[in-house]
Amino acid sequence: MNIFLLFVLDILAVMIIIYLYRVIRGPTLYDRVLGLNGISTKAIIILIVIGTVYDRVEMFVDISTGYALLNLVGVLAITKYLEQREAPS
Amino acid sequence: MTALSIALIVVGLFFLAVAALGMVRLPDVYTRSHAVALTDSLGAFFLLAGLALNQGFSTNLVRILVVLALLYLLNPVISHATVRAALRAGVKPWGEDRR
Amino acid sequence: MNRRFDRYLVYKALTLFVIWLLLTASYTPAHMALGFVASFGVALLNTDAGRPPGVAIRWLQLLQFLPWLFGRILISGLHLSFLILHPKLPIAPALIRYRTKLSHEPGIVLLGSSITLTPGTVTAEAQSDELIVHAIDGESLDDLQSQRLESKVADVFRIRKSAE
């Protein structure tokens, strides 16, 4: 099982690189925000897979919960800022 | 039990790979947000369900399900906020000029 | 008024405490007491947020709604995967306006979240009773335009008689 999970980790890392292409390349700012959101979802999954590999799920679940909440706050702050900037003041 | 959880993880990886492919192939922000929704709702569900099943019936299973419920609650808010900001900034949807 | 206020405070604190119990790793009395104090403190700090919204949730209907929604997510996810894997990429994106008959905020929130969670449709703007929905394909819009989703969402809530 552990060997299989290590393969899963590799595949997820490759997917993060694909998302990173969209973050770097993305024509608009919103593409980049969307790509970052996808990367952090992957990071949450990767954290739980690592927890399963090391048999310490209870610790890694806390970290991934914090990561999910941080992602929410970050994306909301960025999009609010962009909306405010576009509005005529 | 192990075989079933491996099967669920493989299904989840399939959806994640399709979403990553869509992230590259699809033409604009709005359609790409559909690919991200595919990642969040189906890929994460099957992968985390497989991992939770691998834990057996313990408190760890409930913890992984809490993370899954959190993802289902938070991710619609995130993609709605991104798409709304793009729409308000006037990003043109792809294919709007053909109709 | 005061009694209802207190009841919501207790509900909120108990929900937070259950989440604490699910996430904590050790069940010693000291940790449990710390979690109890923390959840009541957070609930007290947030007394203004989350006022009683004037509608009640029918839990039985909600338990029926969630598996149905997951089935729809699975079907439209498979459809979207087919669209992405197709070599010619046969997508036909469209922005549509959708006018909803739901009059209360929790219903609109649940409707918008369900639309966004379903692959293929995403809520782009939610004014008071008008949603702007972006869809990748005409087929993804089926549930919305036949008003099946909206009637299911309306079933989940019951409008409370004496809303304060």
Side-chain angles (χ1 to χ4, degrees):
Chain A
M1 190 70 193
N2 267 356
I3 307 286
F4 173 69
L5 286 180
L6 290 179
F7 272 114
V8 171
L9 278 180
D10 286 348
I11 298 173
L12 286 171
V14 170
M15 279 173 198
I16 282 190
I17 294 174
I18 298 175
Y19 276 78
L20 209 56
Y21 164 78
R22 180 52 65 201
V23 174
I24 294 169
R25 179 73 196 287
T28 64
L29 264 172
Y30 307 100
D31 285 303
R32 298 172 211 265
V33 176
L34 212 58
L36 283 178
N37 174 24
I39 286 179
S40 64
T41 306
K42 296 285 176 307
I44 292 164
I45 296 173
I46 281 182
L47 277 172
I48 294 181
V49 176
I50 290 176
T52 313
V53 170
Y54 286 116
D55 222 2
R56 289 291 308 272
V57 177
E58 67 273 10
M59 186 174 84
F60 281 91
V61 159
D62 289 355
I63 302 174
S64 62
T65 310
Y67 209 94
L69 294 172
L70 209 61
N71 176 32
L72 173 79
V73 174
V75 170
L76 285 185
I78 291 172
T79 53
K80 276 289 166 197
Y81 168 69
L82 289 175
E83 278 182 13
Q84 295 247 319
R85 203 186 55 172
E86 301 298 334
S89 52
Chain B
M1 197 72 126
T2 312
L4 187 59
S5 88
I6 285 181
L8 281 175
I9 290 175
V10 168
V11 172
L13 277 180
F14 166 73
F15 280 117
L16 288 180
V18 169
L21 186 66
M23 214 53 195
V24 176
R25 283 193 75 187
L26 290 172
D28 72 340
V29 189
Y30 305 103
T31 46
R32 277 178 209 135
S33 76
H34 299 313
V36 173
L38 185 68
T39 317
D40 298 339
S41 57
L42 282 177
F45 174 83
F46 281 113
L47 225 157
L48 292 185
L51 288 177
L53 206 63
N54 184 41
Q55 292 293 323
F57 293 98
S58 61
T59 48
N60 283 344
L61 186 145
V62 184
R63 289 196 185 106
I64 294 180
L65 291 186
V66 167
V67 173
L68 192 59
L70 203 67
L71 278 180
Y72 264 61
L73 280 178
L74 299 189
N75 273 319
V77 180
I78 292 173
S79 50
H80 167 67
T82 314
V83 169
R84 190 178 76 160
L87 190 72
R88 287 197 177 168
V91 178
K92 282 267 178 293
W94 181 85
E96 195 80 331
D97 46 346
R98 286 183 314 168
R99 282 186 303 126
Chain C
M1 176 201 161
N2 220 358
R3 273 199 16 227
R4 160 157 290 163
F5 183 70
D6 286 340
R7 213 178 63 199
Y8 274 95
L9 185 68
V10 171
Y11 284 165
K12 228 181 290 184
L14 283 184
T15 314
L16 287 172
F17 188 57
V18 167
I19 295 174
W20 172 284
L21 284 185
L22 289 178
L23 284 178
T24 188
S26 65
Y27 294 103
T28 56
H31 282 99
M32 302 270 275
L34 193 62
F36 203 70
V37 169
S39 49
F40 260 94
V42 170
L44 267 179
L45 284 178
N46 285 304
T47 40
D48 282 341
R51 288 175 178 275
V55 291
I57 299 174
R58 291 198 274 186
W59 292 101
L60 207 67
Q61 307 281 342
L62 188 66
L63 280 183
Q64 285 175 359
F65 172 72
L66 291 180
W68 179 83
L69 179 67
F70 185 73
R72 300 308 305 177
I73 287 175
L74 194 60
I75 290 173
S76 55
L78 285 175
H79 178 66
L80 181 64
S81 319
F82 168 73
L83 286 183
I84 292 176
L85 289 177
H86 197 286
K88 280 186 193 154
L89 208 63
I91 58 174
L95 272 176
I96 63 155
R97 278 167 197 281
Y98 181 74
R99 194 167 278 281
T100 170
K101 288 197 268 307
L102 296 171
S103 55
H104 42 82
E105 269 183 8
I108 295 175
V109 167
L110 184 59
L111 180 67
S113 298
S114 311
I115 292 171
T116 311
L117 206 51
T118 313
T121 48
V122 57
T123 316
E125 185 84 60
Q127 298 294 348
S128 57
D129 64 341
E130 194 178 61
L131 304 175
I132 296 181
V133 178
H134 185 271
I136 198 168
D137 193 351
E139 206 179 316
S140 319
L141 278 173
D142 240 14
D143 262 350
L144 199 59
Q145 277 174 340
S146 64
Q147 305 208 322
R148 210 177 319 155
L149 184 60
E150 182 177 335
S151 67
K152 294 251 183 194
V153 170
D155 273 349
V156 172
F157 295 99
R158 187 188 63 226
I159 293 178
R160 193 176 282 142
K161 284 291 184 326
S162 60
E164 290 177 62

